[in-house]
Amino acid sequence: MARFPRGSSAPHLIYSFFNSSTKSKRSSPHSPASALLLGNFHLRQFSSSAIRAKDDKEPWWKESMEHLRNIGISAHIDSGKTTLTERILYYTGRIHEIHEVRGRDGVGAKMDSMDLEREKGITIQSAATYCTWNGYQVNIIDTPGHVDFTIEVERALRVLDGAILVLCSVGGVQSQSITVDRQMRRYEVPRVAFINKLDRMGADPWKVLSQARAKLRHHSAAVQVPIGLEEDFQGLIDLVQMKAFYFRGSSGENVVAEDIPEDMAAFVEAKRRELIETVSDVDDKLADAFLADEPISASDLEEAIRRATIARKFIPVFMGSAFKNKGVQPLLNGVLNYLPCPIEVNNYALDQTKDEEKVMLGGNPEGPLVALAFKLEEGRFGQLTYLRIYEGVIRKGDFVVNINTGKRIKVPRLVRMHSDEMEDIQEAHAGQIVAVFGMDCASGDTFTDGSVKYTMTSMNVPEPVMSLAVQPVSKDSGGQFSKALNRFQREDPTFRVGLDPESGQTIISGMGELHLDIYVERIRREYKVDATVGKPRVNFRETITQRAEFDYLHKKQSGGQGQYGRVTGYVEPIPLGEGTKFEFENMIVGQAIPSNFIPAIEKGFKEAANSGSLIGHPVENLRIVLTDGASHAVDSSELAFKLAAIYAFRQLYTAAKPVILEPVMLVELKVPSEFQGTVAGDINKRKGVIVGNDQDGDDSVITAHVPLNNMFGYSTSLRSMTQGKGEFTMEYKEHLPVSQDVQVQLVNAYKASRATE
């Protein structure tokens, strides 16, 4: 029986990072000095790179890049992401004691550094850290699970090379698991899955695996088999190495390898065959060996899984219980073995000098600097900008160019983050995630050394669906209040701030009730400003349903130069779902309207579409086509044509049969079966449409599309309907037309509010 101490694992997984001459000098993998040594080893060799490049066939930086992993941990809310990150940090020696998410000891998990996160037991902001494991440096971003903070997941996945998708062995594939999986697909992130909480009552990893195949369309198979489940969960069998692993010691730090229990041998053999078959479907090399009935060694299978995972054709499934300290070390080994290093991922930039031509970035530290600012945070020392470096090296004191603004900025301070702690470094290279102080920029800006004009593709930012009116209680705190709003807006692209032109109130918009509540609470705590909050307001939209012609002459004579502009054409709806919200086409043949006035006409129509006449909300999905017009040699001006467009739009709007669109939410409810009828009846009362109803043990899982306007305060009524046993998640789906009676109500309410002003 072999024993492996904490911070190491089976011998075949221990990789040598240094060459033989430095091996004897290597310090413990837990010491901070060692972490720094590992992280910066190759940077100190930078000056001798030319000499080494001559001696070696491969570039000097290739080996060190292969020993780097950038991963994110994403999942449905409450699947155990932060707990898993806490265990990873403990086993890699980054922290020396474990604290729980809702810590009774008052400390809380390391990655939940905000007071609000510790109180509510949820992650609000993604947090970055790094650790070393078996001579590899692993950069980790722990992301929120709650759908209201979806932008945190988007921007983390935008810059990562691989991800761990955590699934709960009891809850299975839930609504937010589907959302984060969709985000991983969007950014083409290779991933491994981790089925957590095998110690809980009702744990069934095989049910979760079949759900992942059916609901997420994963081509996946287990690479481990649990020994026992629920309170009998003892350890794991590795199907690649064909060894049983047990986790001994007070915190599971001693991984003990033993032979497979005899009573499980047949089951394990069947599962290994299933794993080989599944990987063979997508890997030709393994398929040839499998079809020829050749024996498949552990290293052959490991290499095939790695090739298929990096090609995003296969997802290896790991198992364990982070809370009970079982299965975390093998998962870390899986990250090293199966997820790509920065140079195995295709990252593209757009060359601004060549009409946004795609350029592949090879991750070369000797190339020109290309870095993306993917997250901003207001720190104690000013704005903290998180950077992912795709190519080149960034040094403290260097000058870099913000391609989006054209400004040249000095790098005053460079740090590596460990949740809310930071460690100063002198330089960082391609593949790393670092943070910089004192650089004024926006989320999504690209930085280079000035020799190239590359920009990285931006991330997907969903539109906000809900608004609140907020104002500070005391007039004196207005400065702090606007400072807070400006900061949060810069940090979070889904958080918008605007002024209601009619009432003069400050309107904040976001992804849901919790999202906005958290920001109001943060204004109170971090800026000591009490704010009053108005009734939540839904972000309705308006659209047209049929084509309408316009022919409008704007003529004004008042002594001196007058105003003259005539516009003729038609407006038509763009079908929902085409993604374009506003189109303007100039179909005028000849010079009926001089071409220098056309932009003013487009601007006029755009301005008019900002506020429809039904309820004053923006008008979407419309195409305006200009076919004719007339101008005057003296009296025509940009203002005249802009006003002509605005009045033409108001005139034709009623004829185009406008309708109101409302945000419809995808709601997933999990309630005990005895309350199913009551909950379904309540959904119908809220004008929801039930689109799915599954049974999950003693619970019913109901999926429905419900208008957001009817979902305010739903958590309270669901608790009272289900004696506190029901839970739900809600995310934005699409804007759809409201029914005729609701439209009449909304229009009347809008007219009444206008009349009282």
Side-chain angles (χ1 to χ4, degrees):
M1 183 168 82
R3 287 182 182 273
F4 307 115
R6 177 172 143 215
S8 73
S9 115
H12 71 277
L13 291 170
I14 298 177
Y15 293 84
S16 165
F17 184 71
F18 295 90
N19 58 29
S20 53
S21 64
T22 55
K23 216 173 237 176
S24 58
K25 297 171 195 167
R26 181 174 171 186
S27 57
S28 145
H30 303 301
S31 68
S34 161
L36 270 169
L37 192 65
L38 290 169
N40 295 334
F41 168 70
H42 43 290
L43 291 176
R44 294 201 298 275
Q45 310 296 316
F46 201 78
S47 56
S48 60
S49 61
I51 304 160
R52 286 197 50 191
K54 284 178 189 168
D55 300 342
D56 303 347
K57 282 179 183 154
E58 289 190 335
W60 64 270
W61 45 267
K62 194 157 189 277
E63 187 191 358
S64 55
M65 287 290 262
E66 283 167 359
H67 286 75
L68 185 60
R69 296 287 182 273
N70 292 314
I71 62 160
I73 298 178
S74 304
H76 182 88
I77 191 166
D78 231 8
S79 297
K81 296 175 295 300
T82 305
T83 306
L84 175 62
T85 313
E86 189 82 354
R87 299 309 187 268
I88 288 173
L89 294 178
Y90 177 70
Y91 295 132
T92 56
R94 287 295 286 133
I95 56 174
H96 300 292
E97 51 186 28
I98 293 172
H99 295 287
E100 299 315 330
V101 172
R102 289 181 191 265
R104 287 183 190 158
D105 54 8
V107 179
K110 176 74 196 168
M111 301 304 278
D112 285 349
S113 57
M114 202 190 291
D115 290 342
L116 265 171
E117 294 180 314
R118 291 177 176 177
E119 278 171 34
K120 291 180 179 283
I122 61 169
T123 303
I124 292 168
Q125 286 187 327
S126 55
T129 186
Y130 65 94
C131 54
T132 47
W133 180 251
N134 290 343
Y136 283 67
Q137 185 186 326
V138 185
N139 291 318
I140 302 170
I141 297 186
D142 172 32
T143 61
H146 204 287
V147 68
D148 282 22
F149 309 108
T150 189
I151 189 66
E152 292 287 338
V153 187
E154 286 275 350
R155 55 181 161 200
L157 292 175
R158 170 68 188 80
V159 297
L160 293 171
D161 304 323
I164 300 172
L165 175 66
V166 183
L167 299 167
C168 172
S169 66
V170 183
V173 174
Q174 293 157 285
S175 60
Q176 193 62 13
S177 320
I178 297 169
T179 304
V180 293
D181 187 72
R182 193 185 310 128
Q183 290 169 322
M184 287 176 188
R185 279 179 206 273
R186 183 183 299 134
Y187 296 114
E188 300 182 344
V189 178
R191 53 207 179 276
V192 300
F194 179 65
I195 299 177
N196 194 16
K197 304 192 179 184
L198 290 188
D199 59 301
R200 276 186 52 191
M201 283 285 291
D204 184 353
W206 308 112
K207 176 197 81 176
V208 180
L209 182 56
S210 64
Q211 278 183 357
R213 288 169 177 167
K215 288 186 181 179
L216 303 175
R217 301 193 306 284
H218 278 183
H219 188 75
S220 58
V223 291
Q224 293 173 334
V225 168
I227 303 169
L229 282 174
E230 300 178 358
E231 63 250 34
D232 301 329
F233 177 49
Q234 296 162 29
L236 295 160
I237 295 167
D238 187 317
L239 296 177
V240 178
Q241 301 303 324
M242 293 301 276
K243 279 274 174 207
F245 289 102
Y246 297 91
F247 305 89
R248 306 273 158 77
S250 59
S251 302
E253 65 271 24
N254 297 324
V255 183
V256 181
E258 293 182 4
D259 291 331
I260 295 167
E262 281 179 24
D263 59 336
M264 291 187 71
F267 180 69
V268 168
E269 198 53 57
K271 285 293 171 192
R272 189 175 199 261
R273 189 175 174 82
E274 184 187 315
L275 170 64
I276 293 169
E277 279 179 21
T278 311
V279 180
S280 297
D281 288 345
V282 291
D283 187 82
D284 295 342
K285 200 170 169 188
L286 188 71
D288 294 343
F290 177 62
L291 293 169
D293 232 3
E294 293 170 13
I296 290 165
S297 70
S299 60
D300 290 343
L301 182 53
E302 195 173 283
E303 284 166 21
I305 294 172
R306 180 176 178 81
R307 284 192 301 270
T309 305
I310 290 173
R312 302 192 317 281
K313 292 177 179 173
F314 175 73
I315 295 169
V317 178
F318 290 81
M319 300 183 185
S321 165
F323 183 64
K324 289 287 166 72
N325 310 313
K326 290 183 172 73
V328 178
Q329 296 98 319
L331 174 66
L332 267 169
N333 292 331
V335 165
L336 308 187
N337 292 344
Y338 304 135
L339 289 180
C341 69
I343 51 178
E344 289 174 305
V345 179
N346 293 339
N347 288 306
Y348 293 96
L350 305 174
D351 191 342
Q352 297 303 313
T353 59
K354 293 184 181 170
D355 202 20
E356 299 211 338
E357 185 184 299
K358 263 190 170 186
V359 182
M360 190 169 154
L361 302 175
N364 179 354
E366 291 178 316
L369 172 71
V370 181
L372 175 72
F374 68 94
K375 177 176 160 68
L376 307 180
E377 219 172 77
E378 201 69 33
R380 294 187 296 274
F381 311 104
Q383 182 176 297
L384 184 65
T385 306
Y386 284 78
L387 291 179
R388 161 72 200 261
I389 307 165
Y390 286 99
E391 202 151 282
V393 172
I394 189 168
R395 294 181 183 82
K396 183 181 171 181
D398 274 0
F399 280 94
V400 294
V401 177
N402 182 337
I403 297 298
N404 301 59
T405 62
K407 285 182 184 166
R408 194 160 174 265
I409 310 164
K410 190 176 180 180
V411 179
R413 188 179 170 198
L414 199 60
V415 294
R416 277 202 300 190
M417 299 303 295
H418 177 42
S419 184
D420 59 341
E421 294 168 17
M422 54 197 73
E423 169 197 317
D424 279 282
I425 53 174
Q426 292 305 307
E427 53 185 23
H429 63 93
Q432 293 204 318
I433 292 172
V434 291
V436 182
F437 274 108
M439 279 170 56
D440 189 32
C441 66
S443 190
D445 283 359
T446 306
F447 291 93
T448 74
D449 55 10
S451 63
V452 289
K453 278 194 82 170
Y454 291 169
T455 57
M456 302 302 293
T457 51
S458 60
M459 63 200 106
N460 177 61
V461 179
E463 284 293 310
V465 293
M466 189 183 286
S467 302
L468 285 178
V470 286
Q471 60 190 63
V473 173
S474 75
K475 290 272 186 333
D476 307 339
S477 49
Q480 283 291 86
F481 179 68
S482 55
K483 197 172 161 189
L485 293 182
N486 286 338
R487 171 196 156 183
F488 296 143
Q489 212 177 345
R490 270 217 312 275
E491 286 181 8
D492 182 351
T494 56
F495 178 72
R496 313 272 170 89
V497 179
L499 266 180
D500 187 329
E502 285 149 17
S503 63
Q505 286 177 306
T506 302
I507 306 288
I508 57 171
S509 307
M511 300 306 296
E513 273 181 285
L514 180 67
H515 190 205
L516 297 176
D517 285 351
I518 292 285
Y519 276 119
V520 172
E521 183 65 16
R522 284 182 69 188
I523 291 170
R524 191 173 67 75
R525 289 185 185 207
E526 294 171 34
Y527 288 87
K528 308 286 183 281
V529 176
D530 275 326
T532 54
V533 179
K535 182 181 175 289
R537 213 183 64 168
V538 173
N539 290 350
F540 291 105
R541 295 283 180 267
E542 297 183 26
T543 192
I544 56 169
T545 55
Q546 68 180 42
R547 178 175 155 144
E549 313 279 335
F550 61 85
D551 184 351
Y552 188 84
L553 170 63
H554 176 66
K555 193 174 173 185
K556 201 172 180 188
Q557 208 69 43
S558 55
Q561 187 185 350
Q563 289 180 7
Y564 185 96
R566 182 178 177 183
V567 288
T568 308
Y570 61 89
V571 63
E572 61 184 6
I574 299 174
L576 286 173
E578 279 198 14
T580 317
K581 294 180 178 174
F582 179 91
E583 268 183 29
F584 178 81
E585 262 181 78
N586 175 20
M587 304 276 280
I588 294 178
V589 180
Q591 286 287 313
I593 299 175
S595 54
N596 57 316
F597 294 137
I598 302 296
I601 296 172
E602 182 176 356
K603 199 174 171 191
F605 277 118
K606 251 192 187 143
E607 212 170 280
N610 274 340
S611 170
S613 55
L614 288 178
I615 54 168
H617 280 258
V619 185
E620 287 185 351
N621 305 326
L622 74 157
R623 179 185 291 114
I624 291 166
V625 181
L626 192 64
T627 56
D628 201 359
S631 64
H632 188 279
V634 178
D635 290 351
S636 285
S637 63
E638 287 192 358
L639 177 66
F641 276 107
K642 184 181 163 185
L643 291 171
I646 291 172
Y647 293 133
F649 185 83
R650 288 180 188 165
Q651 194 183 51
L652 69 87
Y653 195 58
T654 317
K657 294 272 169 68
V659 292
I660 298 168
L661 302 173
E662 65 181 341
V664 172
M665 309 304 276
L666 173 66
V667 180
E668 186 177 278
L669 300 121
K670 194 169 187 181
V671 296
S673 294
E674 68 258 35
F675 303 115
Q676 183 186 344
T678 319
V679 171
D682 183 68
I683 289 284
N684 290 331
K685 230 184 331 190
R686 292 171 189 269
K687 302 211 162 111
V689 178
I690 293 172
V691 291
N693 196 339
D694 291 323
Q695 208 59 29
D696 181 9
D698 296 335
D699 292 334
S700 285
V701 179
I702 299 168
T703 316
H705 298 161
V706 193
L708 174 63
N709 205 26
N710 304 338
M711 286 298 285
F712 290 123
Y714 185 64
S715 48
T716 315
S717 52
L718 181 68
R719 274 200 291 271
S720 61
M721 276 187 291
T722 60
Q723 297 169 10
K725 295 173 188 167
E727 55 183 59
F728 81 103
T729 56
M730 176 167 85
E731 64 180 285
Y732 169 70
K733 186 174 183 296
E734 59 191 336
H735 270 78
L736 288 176
V738 301
S739 59
Q740 195 55 45
D741 59 322
V742 173
Q743 178 150 325
V744 171
Q745 277 173 21
L746 290 168
V747 171
N748 290 343
Y750 177 68
K751 283 178 180 165
S753 71
R754 293 291 295 271
T756 56
E757 283 164 17

